[in-house]
Amino acid sequence: MTGLHEKEERENFSAPLIAHNNHSDGTVGADMLDTATIQVTTDSPASDDGSDTETAKTNSQPLFSKAQRRISFSIVLLSQILNQGSFNASLPALPAIREDFDTSITLTNTTAAMQLLMIALLSAVWGSYADGYGRRIVFTISNTVLVFGNLGSALAINIGMLIAFRLISSIGYAASSALGTGIIADVFDDNERGSKFSWYASLTLYAAACAPALGGVMTQHLGWRSIFWFIFASYVVLWLSIFFFLPETNPRVRKLPSIDSTKVTTEEEKSRKKVLNPFVSLKFLLLPNVVLPCLYLGLMGFTGYAANITFTWAYSEQYGFDSSMVGVFFLFGIIGITAGGILGGKLSDRIYSRRVQKANANNREVYPEMRLSQTWVIIGAFAMAASFVTFGWAIEKNLHYSVGLVCLALVQFGVMLETCLLSVYAVQSYPKHGSSVQACFQVVKYVLFFFGTLWATDLQNLLGAGVLYTVLSSILLITSPFVTYIQRNRERWRKAANSISW
């Protein structure tokens, strides 16, 4: 791209720069076209002091306007808030659902667990089609399913019908889980992604923490069906927002300009034909730098979702609180979410920016593993492990209910910290396939979330809450050093990324 004038760049390109392009010849590589930014490098004339040194200069303009970025972020955020909020809002309603349909605790837990299972099974499908055919069309279809699924849940006349329609709703939930981070990766560049992912994750968890309070109050005063009527109405609004305001963000579908447009077009067409295999995104699970963070966050979620179920039944039956109070108690998690979200987002961007600056100063390669920090992952693991162990023994020994509330806040701190550090790295490692990578996260995580929700009561009855959460916490601590392995094998991951032709 050397020799292009600034005016020509403005006419032919509409994307900002990424500060680090490793192409030594100054060209724009086709591998950079699927990120939220396109890099253009120009050679400046000799300096005023007469030296022959040529200085690289970059020029940039946004691919998406500020309004488009805000709208896109707001829509995916609302989608994920409803996704997480719908599950958590139903937790305080579980005793009421059980009483209304006169069924067992395990079958009642299944109404919530099925949502997690379908997200696990279908995230890969939605992610593959979103990367191949566009985020917007997939989002529109999935939210249509959500509208009808929640309508059916509100009208359910027995436990079987409720499970069936929650299953249908979960088909749509799987898409919002897979698409959110992909859209964020499309519209924001590397220097912004960490903070945006932090806001995305933390606000989602805020909603997850607040939803039980709303669900508890609605269950007590309006009945458990009111929760699904509210969610139904919310998804109607979201569907209209997607249809009228969400731009297509997938670079393949937008047909971004390229240096070798013929080559890129041919490659993208081949890729889009291959994506007809709806499970193609699962091939990313063959890559250790994807599957290891997936498994770790999944194990973390297994323990967390089991704790949510334990919390709901213990505070309803053991401590004798009504559904409204149980919902309000979940709000204590906001303290940890706030601390972990602020710290995790700032750390992710600060660690990355500092290492990038140092690498550029020394003319060294910049790579995504610069965003990872083994130290902070272990700190987050210790915070979660200590909290889970204390929570488990507090329930088993029937300690004062306030102990569990403090543990809830500390658990959420660890969850947010780990999520911010690991999720951004994985998507940044494979920017062309953001939705597919996120889909892999969703598949692994939600399979484990499902079993954590479904088995929580049975495992607790078998082992006791104290032993159960001690064992799970020990596994979290033992497996946390996996980050060092990822960092030490970065060349292997780069070769894998460059060889992807799925």
Side-chain angles (χ1 to χ4, degrees):
M1 286 296 299
T2 55
L4 275 180
H5 296 296
E6 187 172 339
K7 179 178 179 181
E8 292 173 337
E9 293 168 0
R10 286 197 298 267
E11 292 174 348
N12 295 312
F13 296 89
S14 58
L17 305 181
I18 294 177
H20 49 280
N21 186 354
N22 296 321
H23 293 278
S24 58
D25 62 359
T27 62
V28 180
D31 59 324
M32 298 299 293
L33 292 174
D34 275 30
T35 62
T37 57
I38 296 179
Q39 179 169 346
V40 182
T41 306
T42 62
D43 292 333
S44 64
S47 58
D48 293 339
D49 61 4
S51 66
D52 295 330
T53 304
E54 290 185 340
T55 306
K57 179 176 68 178
T58 59
N59 297 282
S60 61
Q61 292 195 6
L63 175 61
F64 296 95
S65 68
K66 183 178 292 186
Q68 286 179 314
R69 293 198 299 271
R70 287 178 176 174
I71 289 172
S72 299
F73 183 74
S74 298
I75 288 176
V76 298
L77 178 61
L78 176 59
S79 176
Q80 190 67 351
I81 283 174
L82 289 173
N83 186 341
Q84 294 292 318
S86 64
F87 175 86
N88 283 23
S90 68
L91 292 179
L94 293 180
I97 293 173
R98 179 194 178 196
E99 181 180 354
D100 194 10
F101 291 139
D102 190 24
T103 187
S104 66
I105 290 178
T106 300
L107 200 55
T108 304
N109 288 347
T110 302
T111 64
M114 291 308 296
Q115 176 175 330
L116 304 176
L117 178 63
M118 291 305 294
I119 290 175
L121 296 177
L122 295 177
S123 290
V125 177
W126 289 123
S128 296
Y129 283 124
D131 279 342
Y133 299 116
R135 323 279 194 224
R136 189 175 184 275
I137 183 64
V138 170
F139 231 158
T140 303
I141 294 172
S142 64
N143 276 271
T144 302
V145 175
L146 281 163
V147 168
F148 288 103
N150 282 286
L151 176 62
S153 297
L155 297 172
I157 59 175
N158 55 52
I159 192 68
M161 183 176 176
L162 179 59
I163 292 174
F165 274 101
R166 293 205 73 175
L167 200 64
I168 292 171
S169 298
S170 302
I171 296 173
Y173 287 129
S176 65
S177 298
L179 291 175
T181 54
I183 291 176
I184 293 173
D186 289 340
V187 300
F188 296 102
D189 64 27
D190 287 350
N191 294 322
E192 295 179 288
R193 284 178 191 153
S195 60
K196 294 303 179 185
F197 275 119
S198 174
W199 279 106
Y200 179 73
S202 59
L203 290 175
T204 298
L205 287 177
Y206 279 139
C210 294
L214 178 61
V217 171
M218 294 178 72
T219 298
Q220 186 170 352
H221 298 285
L222 300 174
W224 63 266
R225 296 177 190 276
S226 62
I227 297 173
F228 294 101
W229 283 116
F230 177 79
I231 297 171
F232 162 73
S234 299
Y235 272 112
V236 170
V237 173
L238 179 62
W239 189 94
L240 292 172
S241 300
I242 293 169
F243 186 81
F244 288 108
F245 302 115
L246 181 69
E248 177 55 63
T249 66
N250 188 331
R252 304 190 205 192
V253 177
R254 290 174 62 89
K255 299 184 183 298
L256 296 182
S258 65
I259 304 307
D260 189 348
S261 59
T262 302
K263 178 181 178 182
V264 173
T265 300
T266 301
E267 291 177 350
E268 296 298 350
E269 284 301 317
K270 289 181 179 179
S271 179
R272 290 181 69 180
K273 290 179 181 178
K274 290 182 179 179
V275 86
L276 287 173
N277 175 4
F279 296 101
V280 68
S281 61
L282 292 182
K283 290 185 178 181
F284 282 94
L285 292 177
L286 299 175
L287 305 174
N289 68 323
V290 173
V291 72
L292 289 177
C294 284
L295 288 172
Y296 189 76
L297 291 178
L299 177 61
M300 187 174 71
F302 176 94
T303 310
Y305 274 72
N308 283 342
I309 295 297
T310 298
F311 186 93
T312 298
W313 291 106
Y315 278 69
S316 296
E317 299 187 348
Q318 184 173 322
Y319 292 111
F321 292 104
D322 60 33
S323 59
S324 294
M325 286 305 300
V326 172
V328 169
F329 286 151
F330 272 98
L331 292 174
F332 277 79
I334 289 179
I335 300 172
I337 292 170
T338 302
I342 293 174
L343 181 62
K346 288 185 176 180
L347 277 174
S348 180
D349 284 341
R350 185 176 297 176
I351 291 170
Y352 182 72
S353 297
R354 184 173 65 246
R355 291 173 177 174
V356 167
Q357 289 174 2
K358 185 176 179 180
N360 288 337
N362 295 303
N363 198 28
R364 294 179 179 175
E365 179 187 5
V366 173
Y367 45 88
E369 287 74 21
M370 288 180 169
R371 192 176 288 277
L372 295 176
S373 171
Q374 178 66 81
T375 301
W376 283 103
V377 169
I378 291 178
I379 289 174
F382 267 104
M384 286 188 295
S387 304
F388 280 130
V389 170
T390 304
F391 170 75
W393 287 106
I395 296 298
E396 183 161 326
K397 300 300 182 181
N398 201 31
L399 300 183
H400 194 271
Y401 69 88
S402 61
V403 176
L405 302 182
V406 174
C407 292
L408 179 63
L410 292 175
V411 163
Q412 295 294 358
F413 168 79
V415 168
M416 270 307 309
L417 186 63
E418 307 282 40
T419 300
C420 290
L421 292 174
L422 297 176
S423 296
V424 183
Y425 159 72
V427 174
Q428 186 173 334
S429 296
Y430 304 96
K432 284 186 177 183
H433 307 276
S435 287
S436 292
V437 172
Q438 182 63 14
C440 290
F441 270 76
Q442 300 305 100
V443 168
V444 175
K445 284 165 51 181
Y446 278 90
V447 165
L448 292 172
F449 292 178
F450 166 75
F451 287 115
T453 302
L454 191 63
W455 291 348
T457 303
D458 295 331
L459 287 174
Q460 184 178 326
N461 291 337
L462 178 65
L463 301 173
V467 173
L468 172 61
Y469 291 104
T470 298
V471 171
L472 293 174
S473 298
S474 299
I475 297 174
L476 282 172
L477 285 176
I478 292 171
T479 56
S480 61
F482 76 92
V483 171
T484 299
Y485 171 76
I486 292 178
Q487 291 173 318
R488 290 178 178 176
N489 291 274
R490 62 177 181 269
E491 290 300 325
R492 180 181 172 187
W493 319 140
R494 300 291 72 73
K495 291 178 181 179
N498 293 332
S499 66
I500 290 176
S501 59
W502 305 331

